[in-house]
Amino acid sequence: MKRLLLGLAAFALVLALPLPAFAGGGRQPDDLRELSHKLRMYIGSAVDVTALAEEADYRQVLNREFTHITAENAMKWESVEPQRGVYTWEGADAIVRNAQRNRQKVRGHTLVWHNQLPTWLTEGVADGSIDAKELRRILRDHIMTEAGRYRGKIRAWDVVNEVVDDEGNMRESIWLTHLGPGYIADAFRWAHQADPHAKLYINDYNLEWNTAKIDTTLAIVKDLKAKRVPIHGIGFQGHLGIQYDYPADFPAVMSRFTDLGLEAAITEADVRMVMPATPEKLATQADYYQRMLATCAANDRCVEFTVWGYTDRHSWVPGWFDGEGAANIMDENLAPKPAYNALLSVRRT
Ligand code: G3I
Protein backbone atom coordinates (compact mmCIF):
# COMPACT_ATOMS: atom_id res chain seq x y z
CA MET A 1 0.00 0.00 0.00
CA LYS A 2 2.79 2.36 1.03
CA ARG A 3 4.57 1.61 -2.24
CA LEU A 4 1.39 2.30 -4.20
CA LEU A 5 0.91 5.64 -2.46
CA LEU A 6 4.51 6.58 -3.11
CA GLY A 7 4.07 5.61 -6.77
CA LEU A 8 0.92 7.71 -7.07
CA ALA A 9 2.64 10.63 -5.36
CA ALA A 10 5.57 10.40 -7.76
CA PHE A 11 3.18 10.25 -10.73
CA ALA A 12 1.28 13.30 -9.46
CA LEU A 13 4.59 15.12 -9.08
CA VAL A 14 5.54 14.35 -12.68
CA LEU A 15 2.18 15.68 -13.88
CA ALA A 16 2.64 18.80 -11.82
CA LEU A 17 6.07 19.50 -13.31
CA PRO A 18 5.78 22.48 -15.63
CA LEU A 19 6.76 22.02 -19.26
CA PRO A 20 8.69 22.37 -21.41
CA ALA A 21 11.86 20.88 -20.07
CA PHE A 22 15.00 22.47 -21.46
CA ALA A 23 18.71 21.89 -21.56
CA GLY A 24 20.04 21.32 -18.07
CA GLY A 25 16.71 19.86 -16.91
CA GLY A 26 13.67 21.56 -15.41
CA ARG A 27 11.57 24.44 -16.61
CA GLN A 28 13.25 27.79 -17.22
CA PRO A 29 12.15 30.31 -14.56
CA ASP A 30 9.66 32.95 -15.72
CA ASP A 31 11.51 35.86 -14.18
CA LEU A 32 14.51 36.80 -12.06
CA ARG A 33 12.60 36.50 -8.78
CA GLU A 34 11.83 32.87 -9.57
CA LEU A 35 15.44 32.37 -10.66
CA SER A 36 16.60 33.84 -7.36
CA HIS A 37 14.58 31.22 -5.46
CA LYS A 38 15.78 28.44 -7.73
CA LEU A 39 19.43 29.40 -7.35
CA ARG A 40 18.98 30.07 -3.63
CA MET A 41 20.76 33.38 -3.96
CA TYR A 42 19.66 37.00 -4.08
CA ILE A 43 19.32 38.71 -7.44
CA GLY A 44 19.39 42.45 -7.08
CA SER A 45 19.42 45.79 -8.83
CA ALA A 46 20.68 49.26 -8.05
CA VAL A 47 17.78 51.69 -7.66
CA ASP A 48 17.51 55.19 -9.11
CA VAL A 49 15.55 57.04 -6.45
CA THR A 50 13.94 59.53 -8.84
CA ALA A 51 12.79 56.83 -11.22
CA LEU A 52 11.41 54.88 -8.27
CA ALA A 53 9.30 57.86 -7.27
CA GLU A 54 8.24 59.03 -10.72
CA GLU A 55 8.04 56.07 -13.07
CA ALA A 56 5.35 53.50 -12.36
CA ASP A 57 6.63 51.01 -14.95
CA TYR A 58 10.18 51.20 -13.55
CA ARG A 59 8.86 50.58 -10.04
CA GLN A 60 6.66 47.71 -11.12
CA VAL A 61 9.42 45.82 -12.92
CA LEU A 62 11.91 46.47 -10.09
CA ASN A 63 9.52 45.07 -7.52
CA ARG A 64 8.52 42.10 -9.64
CA GLU A 65 11.98 40.95 -10.70
CA PHE A 66 14.39 41.49 -7.81
CA THR A 67 14.94 40.04 -4.35
CA HIS A 68 17.67 42.50 -3.34
CA ILE A 69 18.30 46.19 -3.99
CA THR A 70 21.10 48.75 -3.62
CA ALA A 71 20.58 52.51 -3.59
CA GLU A 72 22.57 53.77 -6.60
CA ASN A 73 23.30 57.15 -5.00
CA ALA A 74 20.78 57.82 -2.22
CA MET A 75 22.83 56.40 0.67
CA LYS A 76 26.12 58.07 -0.26
CA TRP A 77 27.46 60.68 2.10
CA GLU A 78 26.77 63.70 -0.16
CA SER A 79 23.14 62.51 -0.46
CA VAL A 80 22.47 62.00 3.24
CA GLU A 81 24.39 64.92 4.78
CA PRO A 82 24.77 67.65 2.13
CA GLN A 83 25.42 70.25 4.82
CA ARG A 84 27.16 69.50 8.03
CA GLY A 85 24.65 68.20 10.56
CA VAL A 86 21.75 68.52 8.09
CA TYR A 87 20.53 65.05 7.20
CA THR A 88 18.39 64.29 4.18
CA TRP A 89 17.24 60.71 4.56
CA GLU A 90 14.11 60.95 2.37
CA GLY A 91 15.56 59.16 -0.66
CA ALA A 92 17.29 56.41 1.30
CA ASP A 93 14.23 55.90 3.51
CA ALA A 94 11.96 55.61 0.47
CA ILE A 95 14.20 52.95 -1.05
CA VAL A 96 14.37 50.90 2.15
CA ARG A 97 10.61 51.19 2.67
CA ASN A 98 9.90 50.08 -0.88
CA ALA A 99 12.24 47.12 -0.47
CA GLN A 100 10.57 45.99 2.72
CA ARG A 101 7.14 46.15 1.11
CA ASN A 102 8.37 44.02 -1.74
CA ARG A 103 10.29 41.34 0.14
CA GLN A 104 13.66 42.63 -1.02
CA LYS A 105 16.84 42.64 1.04
CA VAL A 106 18.99 45.77 1.02
CA ARG A 107 22.69 46.36 0.38
CA GLY A 108 23.84 49.57 2.03
CA HIS A 109 26.11 51.52 -0.33
CA THR A 110 28.43 52.93 0.90
CA LEU A 111 29.86 54.14 4.21
CA VAL A 112 33.46 55.05 3.32
CA TRP A 113 34.39 56.14 -0.20
CA HIS A 114 36.58 58.80 -1.80
CA ASN A 115 33.80 59.94 -4.20
CA GLN A 116 30.50 61.71 -3.66
CA LEU A 117 31.65 63.20 -0.38
CA PRO A 118 29.88 66.41 0.70
CA THR A 119 31.78 69.59 -0.16
CA TRP A 120 31.67 70.83 3.45
CA LEU A 121 33.84 67.83 4.26
CA THR A 122 36.29 67.91 1.34
CA GLU A 123 36.67 71.70 1.54
CA GLY A 124 37.08 71.62 5.30
CA VAL A 125 39.89 69.09 4.96
CA ALA A 126 41.49 71.01 2.08
CA ASP A 127 41.52 74.37 3.88
CA GLY A 128 42.70 72.86 7.15
CA SER A 129 39.60 73.79 9.15
CA ILE A 130 39.01 70.06 9.74
CA ASP A 131 42.14 68.44 11.18
CA ALA A 132 42.93 64.71 11.34
CA LYS A 133 41.53 64.24 14.82
CA GLU A 134 38.25 65.85 13.90
CA LEU A 135 38.12 63.99 10.60
CA ARG A 136 38.31 60.68 12.44
CA ARG A 137 35.49 61.76 14.74
CA ILE A 138 33.42 62.88 11.74
CA LEU A 139 33.92 59.52 10.03
CA ARG A 140 32.92 57.64 13.17
CA ASP A 141 29.80 59.79 13.59
CA HIS A 142 28.85 59.28 9.96
CA ILE A 143 29.13 55.50 10.20
CA MET A 144 27.36 55.29 13.56
CA THR A 145 24.57 57.59 12.35
CA GLU A 146 23.90 56.01 8.99
CA ALA A 147 24.42 52.34 9.88
CA GLY A 148 22.58 53.01 13.15
CA ARG A 149 19.58 54.55 11.38
CA TYR A 150 19.12 51.43 9.25
CA ARG A 151 20.11 48.95 11.94
CA GLY A 152 18.37 45.62 11.29
CA LYS A 153 17.19 46.71 7.82
CA ILE A 154 20.39 46.20 5.84
CA ARG A 155 21.52 42.70 4.89
CA ALA A 156 25.00 43.83 3.90
CA TRP A 157 26.94 47.09 3.98
CA ASP A 158 29.66 48.14 1.58
CA VAL A 159 31.68 49.48 4.49
CA VAL A 160 34.67 50.51 2.42
CA ASN A 161 34.49 51.05 -1.32
CA GLU A 162 37.42 51.12 -3.78
CA VAL A 163 40.22 51.48 -1.23
CA VAL A 164 42.88 49.96 -3.52
CA ASP A 165 43.96 51.59 -6.78
CA ASP A 166 44.64 49.86 -10.10
CA GLU A 167 48.38 49.61 -9.38
CA GLY A 168 47.66 47.68 -6.20
CA ASN A 169 48.49 50.56 -3.83
CA MET A 170 46.26 51.71 -1.04
CA ARG A 171 44.20 54.43 -2.70
CA GLU A 172 45.30 57.99 -2.00
CA SER A 173 42.19 59.51 -0.44
CA ILE A 174 41.48 61.94 2.35
CA TRP A 175 41.04 58.89 4.56
CA LEU A 176 44.44 57.36 3.87
CA THR A 177 46.25 60.69 3.81
CA HIS A 178 44.88 62.03 7.07
CA LEU A 179 43.98 58.92 9.08
CA GLY A 180 46.48 56.35 7.80
CA PRO A 181 45.57 52.78 6.72
CA GLY A 182 43.99 52.05 10.11
CA TYR A 183 40.82 53.85 8.98
CA ILE A 184 39.70 50.62 7.31
CA ALA A 185 39.71 48.54 10.51
CA ASP A 186 38.10 51.44 12.39
CA ALA A 187 35.30 51.67 9.81
CA PHE A 188 34.47 47.95 10.10
CA ARG A 189 34.51 48.06 13.90
CA TRP A 190 32.22 51.11 13.99
CA ALA A 191 29.83 49.63 11.44
CA HIS A 192 29.63 46.43 13.47
CA GLN A 193 28.89 48.40 16.61
CA ALA A 194 26.12 50.30 14.84
CA ASP A 195 24.49 47.26 13.21
CA PRO A 196 25.79 43.98 14.65
CA HIS A 197 23.79 41.74 12.30
CA ALA A 198 24.70 43.33 8.97
CA LYS A 199 27.28 41.55 6.84
CA LEU A 200 30.19 43.91 6.36
CA TYR A 201 31.89 44.06 2.95
CA ILE A 202 34.91 45.47 1.22
CA ASN A 203 33.86 46.29 -2.36
CA ASP A 204 35.84 47.14 -5.49
CA TYR A 205 35.93 47.25 -9.30
CA ASN A 206 38.36 45.41 -11.60
CA LEU A 207 38.78 42.94 -8.79
CA GLU A 208 37.59 40.21 -11.17
CA TRP A 209 40.96 40.25 -12.97
CA ASN A 210 43.48 42.90 -11.84
CA THR A 211 46.15 40.84 -10.06
CA ALA A 212 47.81 43.80 -8.29
CA LYS A 213 44.46 44.88 -6.89
CA ILE A 214 43.50 41.30 -6.02
CA ASP A 215 46.76 40.65 -4.12
CA THR A 216 46.56 43.87 -2.10
CA THR A 217 42.89 43.34 -1.30
CA LEU A 218 43.61 39.78 -0.16
CA ALA A 219 46.39 41.10 2.07
CA ILE A 220 44.01 43.67 3.58
CA VAL A 221 41.40 40.99 4.28
CA LYS A 222 43.96 38.65 5.88
CA ASP A 223 45.29 41.47 8.04
CA LEU A 224 41.79 42.45 9.18
CA LYS A 225 40.91 38.85 9.98
CA ALA A 226 44.17 38.38 11.90
CA LYS A 227 43.18 41.41 13.99
CA ARG A 228 39.68 39.97 14.50
CA VAL A 229 38.11 42.91 12.73
CA PRO A 230 34.50 42.08 11.75
CA ILE A 231 34.70 41.71 7.97
CA HIS A 232 32.33 39.22 6.35
CA GLY A 233 32.20 39.75 2.62
CA ILE A 234 33.96 40.59 -0.61
CA GLY A 235 32.11 42.58 -3.25
CA PHE A 236 33.09 42.31 -6.90
CA GLN A 237 31.50 45.25 -8.68
CA GLY A 238 31.49 43.52 -12.08
CA HIS A 239 31.60 46.53 -14.42
CA LEU A 240 32.61 44.86 -17.68
CA GLY A 241 32.74 45.91 -21.34
CA ILE A 242 32.52 43.60 -24.35
CA GLN A 243 35.45 45.37 -26.05
CA TYR A 244 37.64 43.67 -23.43
CA ASP A 245 38.10 39.91 -23.04
CA TYR A 246 35.88 38.31 -20.46
CA PRO A 247 37.87 37.90 -17.18
CA ALA A 248 38.10 34.11 -17.40
CA ASP A 249 39.94 33.77 -14.07
CA PHE A 250 37.07 35.29 -12.15
CA PRO A 251 35.86 31.98 -10.59
CA ALA A 252 39.37 31.25 -9.28
CA VAL A 253 39.73 34.80 -7.99
CA MET A 254 36.42 34.57 -6.16
CA SER A 255 37.55 31.30 -4.55
CA ARG A 256 40.75 32.90 -3.27
CA PHE A 257 38.56 35.24 -1.22
CA THR A 258 35.87 32.76 -0.20
CA ASP A 259 38.59 30.29 0.86
CA LEU A 260 39.40 32.84 3.58
CA GLY A 261 35.89 32.33 4.92
CA LEU A 262 34.31 35.43 3.36
CA GLU A 263 30.96 35.40 1.64
CA ALA A 264 30.97 36.92 -1.84
CA ALA A 265 28.65 39.06 -3.91
CA ILE A 266 28.70 40.52 -7.39
CA THR A 267 27.49 43.96 -6.46
CA GLU A 268 27.30 46.22 -9.52
CA ALA A 269 27.19 44.07 -12.65
CA ASP A 270 26.83 45.72 -16.02
CA VAL A 271 28.33 45.06 -19.45
CA ARG A 272 28.80 48.08 -21.66
CA MET A 273 29.55 48.27 -25.36
CA VAL A 274 30.63 50.77 -27.99
CA MET A 275 27.43 52.06 -29.58
CA PRO A 276 25.50 51.30 -31.68
CA ALA A 277 24.31 48.00 -30.26
CA THR A 278 24.07 45.17 -32.80
CA PRO A 279 22.63 41.65 -32.42
CA GLU A 280 26.20 40.30 -32.26
CA LYS A 281 27.22 42.71 -29.50
CA LEU A 282 24.07 41.97 -27.54
CA ALA A 283 24.82 38.24 -27.82
CA THR A 284 28.34 38.79 -26.45
CA GLN A 285 26.90 40.92 -23.67
CA ALA A 286 24.44 38.15 -22.82
CA ASP A 287 27.32 35.68 -22.60
CA TYR A 288 29.28 37.97 -20.22
CA TYR A 289 26.27 38.43 -17.94
CA GLN A 290 25.59 34.71 -17.94
CA ARG A 291 29.18 33.88 -17.04
CA MET A 292 29.19 36.35 -14.18
CA LEU A 293 26.01 34.92 -12.68
CA ALA A 294 27.27 31.36 -13.28
CA THR A 295 30.45 32.24 -11.37
CA CYS A 296 28.37 33.23 -8.38
CA ALA A 297 26.08 30.21 -8.71
CA ALA A 298 29.08 27.86 -8.78
CA ASN A 299 30.51 29.16 -5.52
CA ASP A 300 28.60 28.10 -2.39
CA ARG A 301 29.65 31.23 -0.58
CA CYS A 302 28.46 33.64 -3.28
CA VAL A 303 25.08 34.82 -2.07
CA GLU A 304 24.10 37.80 -4.24
CA PHE A 305 24.23 38.93 -7.86
CA THR A 306 23.21 42.56 -8.28
CA VAL A 307 23.02 44.53 -11.54
CA TRP A 308 23.95 48.22 -11.53
CA GLY A 309 20.54 49.32 -12.75
CA TYR A 310 18.39 46.99 -14.80
CA THR A 311 17.37 49.24 -17.70
CA ASP A 312 19.23 51.21 -20.35
CA ARG A 313 16.78 54.03 -19.55
CA HIS A 314 18.83 54.80 -16.43
CA SER A 315 22.51 54.01 -16.59
CA TRP A 316 25.67 55.74 -15.46
CA VAL A 317 27.54 54.40 -18.52
CA PRO A 318 26.76 56.93 -21.31
CA GLY A 319 27.65 59.80 -18.98
CA TRP A 320 31.02 58.30 -18.09
CA PHE A 321 32.26 56.51 -21.21
CA ASP A 322 32.04 58.51 -24.42
CA GLY A 323 30.19 56.60 -27.13
CA GLU A 324 29.39 53.62 -24.92
CA GLY A 325 26.09 52.41 -23.53
CA ALA A 326 23.39 49.69 -23.68
CA ALA A 327 24.98 48.11 -20.59
CA ASN A 328 21.89 46.75 -18.89
CA ILE A 329 19.66 43.68 -19.14
CA MET A 330 16.51 45.51 -20.31
CA ASP A 331 16.19 48.23 -22.95
CA GLU A 332 14.82 51.76 -22.46
CA ASN A 333 11.26 50.43 -22.73
CA LEU A 334 11.96 47.78 -20.09
CA ALA A 335 11.84 45.00 -22.69
CA PRO A 336 14.15 42.09 -21.82
CA LYS A 337 17.36 41.96 -23.86
CA PRO A 338 19.21 38.72 -24.71
CA ALA A 339 21.19 39.19 -21.47
CA TYR A 340 18.03 38.89 -19.40
CA ASN A 341 17.14 35.56 -21.00
CA ALA A 342 20.72 34.35 -20.66
CA LEU A 343 20.54 34.95 -16.90
CA LEU A 344 17.35 32.90 -16.68
CA SER A 345 19.18 29.88 -18.09
CA VAL A 346 21.82 29.75 -15.32
CA ARG A 347 21.75 26.69 -13.04
CA ARG A 348 23.56 25.86 -9.82
CA THR A 349 26.46 23.60 -10.71
O1 G3I B 1 22.38 64.91 -7.96
C1 G3I B 1 23.07 65.76 -8.88
C2 G3I B 1 22.16 66.77 -9.44
O2 G3I B 1 21.69 67.61 -8.40
C3 G3I B 1 22.89 67.57 -10.52
O3 G3I B 1 22.03 68.47 -11.12
C4 G3I B 1 23.48 66.64 -11.57
C5 G3I B 1 24.29 67.38 -12.63
O4 G3I B 1 25.43 66.66 -13.00
O5 G3I B 1 24.32 65.74 -10.94
C6 G3I B 1 23.65 64.93 -9.99
O6 G3I B 1 24.59 64.11 -9.42
C7 G3I B 1 24.99 63.01 -10.19
C8 G3I B 1 24.79 61.75 -9.34
O7 G3I B 1 25.31 60.63 -10.00
C9 G3I B 1 23.33 61.51 -9.00
O8 G3I B 1 22.62 61.29 -10.17
C10 G3I B 1 26.47 63.14 -10.54
O9 G3I B 1 26.64 64.21 -11.44
C11 G3I B 1 26.99 61.88 -11.14
O10 G3I B 1 28.39 62.00 -11.29
C12 G3I B 1 26.70 60.71 -10.22
O11 G3I B 1 27.18 59.55 -10.82
C13 G3I B 1 27.17 58.40 -10.03
C14 G3I B 1 28.59 57.90 -9.81
O12 G3I B 1 28.58 56.69 -9.06
C15 G3I B 1 29.41 58.97 -9.09
O13 G3I B 1 30.55 58.49 -8.54
C16 G3I B 1 26.37 57.32 -10.75
O14 G3I B 1 25.00 57.70 -10.83
C17 G3I B 1 26.49 55.98 -10.02
O15 G3I B 1 25.95 54.96 -10.81
C18 G3I B 1 27.96 55.65 -9.77
O16 G3I B 1 28.02 54.46 -9.03
C19 G3I B 1 29.33 53.94 -8.74
C20 G3I B 1 29.24 53.18 -7.44
O17 G3I B 1 28.70 53.99 -6.43
C21 G3I B 1 30.60 52.64 -7.02
N1 G3I B 1 31.19 51.86 -8.08
C22 G3I B 1 31.24 52.49 -9.39
C23 G3I B 1 29.87 52.97 -9.81
C24 G3I B 1 29.88 53.53 -11.20
O18 G3I B 1 30.67 54.69 -11.25
Side-chain angles (χ1 to χ4, degrees):
M1 185 61 181
K2 199 169 164 196
R3 201 179 288 165
L4 180 67
L5 282 177
L6 275 177
L8 282 174
F11 185 58
L13 197 68
V14 168
L15 287 183
L17 274 182
L19 294 171
F22 80 118
R27 181 183 60 86
Q28 175 152 319
D30 286 335
D31 57 24
L32 295 177
R33 191 178 276 270
E34 191 186 344
L35 179 69
S36 167
H37 295 308
K38 267 218 154 94
L39 293 179
R40 297 183 308 280
M41 56 187 262
Y42 298 110
I43 299 196
S45 175
V47 181
D48 177 320
V49 71
T50 311
L52 181 71
E54 294 175 2
E55 296 169 20
D57 59 344
Y58 175 92
R59 193 164 51 239
Q60 196 194 350
V61 172
L62 178 82
N63 294 339
R64 182 187 71 214
E65 295 285 331
F66 297 98
T67 54
H68 213 283
I69 60 90
T70 307
E72 185 176 359
N73 289 297
M75 286 190 178
K76 293 172 180 174
W77 201 334
E78 71 169 9
S79 303
V80 300
E81 196 187 4
Q83 291 166 48
R84 192 165 182 181
V86 178
Y87 295 96
T88 45
W89 300 113
E90 294 76 14
D93 283 358
I95 287 177
V96 171
R97 224 174 17 245
N98 185 73
Q100 290 182 323
R101 279 199 208 112
N102 291 284
R103 291 171 293 123
Q104 295 162 326
K105 300 283 184 194
V106 180
R107 168 169 291 272
H109 178 80
T110 169
L111 293 171
V112 188
W113 195 24
H114 60 279
N115 268 338
Q116 290 179 285
L117 292 169
T119 46
W120 62 262
L121 178 63
T122 48
E123 283 172 7
V125 172
D127 69 19
S129 59
I130 296 174
D131 66 12
K133 200 164 163 219
E134 191 181 0
L135 184 63
R136 185 163 187 272
R137 204 165 44 229
I138 289 173
L139 181 61
R140 179 179 183 281
D141 285 353
H142 168 66
I143 292 174
M144 296 303 286
T145 305
E146 181 154 13
R149 180 179 184 85
Y150 297 109
R151 183 185 178 117
K153 296 179 176 169
I154 302 287
R155 189 193 71 77
W157 266 111
D158 292 330
V159 176
V160 296
N161 192 38
E162 304 172 1
V163 294
V164 179
D165 69 20
D166 280 309
E167 281 70 51
N169 303 309
M170 298 292 291
R171 182 182 296 280
E172 294 286 346
S173 66
I174 60 168
W175 310 117
L176 184 71
T177 307
H178 298 275
L179 307 183
Y183 79 88
I184 295 179
D186 286 341
F188 278 95
R189 290 196 177 105
W190 292 328
H192 187 62
Q193 227 178 306
D195 189 352
H197 296 298
K199 302 283 188 193
L200 305 183
Y201 274 63
I202 181 170
N203 188 49
D204 217 325
Y205 63 89
N206 290 353
L207 198 56
E208 303 80 26
W209 55 268
N210 180 327
T211 48
K213 193 176 254 204
I214 292 163
D215 289 343
T216 305
T217 307
L218 278 166
I220 292 172
V221 171
K222 285 180 189 161
D223 180 57
L224 292 173
K225 283 188 140 301
K227 294 178 173 140
R228 301 203 171 281
V229 173
I231 176 169
H232 313 114
I234 179 74
F236 298 89
Q237 292 186 3
H239 293 293
L240 305 185
I242 60 163
Q243 63 274 40
Y244 313 108
D245 287 342
Y246 183 82
D249 288 343
F250 186 20
V253 174
M254 186 181 278
S255 295
R256 290 179 72 189
F257 285 92
T258 54
D259 286 350
L260 299 176
L262 294 185
E263 66 171 48
I266 297 174
T267 53
E268 305 182 13
D270 55 16
V271 183
R272 59 188 188 271
M273 61 186 66
V274 174
M275 298 300 274
T278 63
E280 292 72 30
K281 289 181 193 173
L282 292 172
T284 306
Q285 177 186 56
D287 178 55
Y288 279 33
Y289 266 107
Q290 186 180 44
R291 290 166 83 175
M292 269 199 275
L293 178 59
T295 297
C296 188
N299 185 318
D300 284 345
R301 286 182 178 272
C302 187
V303 297
E304 173 199 337
F305 173 83
T306 288
V307 293
W308 203 239
Y310 70 85
T311 162
D312 291 337
R313 192 191 290 172
H314 301 292
S315 166
W316 69 294
V317 168
W320 285 70
F321 300 97
D322 226 7
E324 296 181 42
N328 304 92
I329 59 175
M330 292 187 188
D331 69 15
E332 291 85 349
N333 300 315
L334 313 188
K337 291 162 64 179
Y340 175 91
N341 292 312
L343 292 180
L344 290 183
S345 72
V346 170
R347 291 285 168 277
R348 270 223 180 261
T349 44

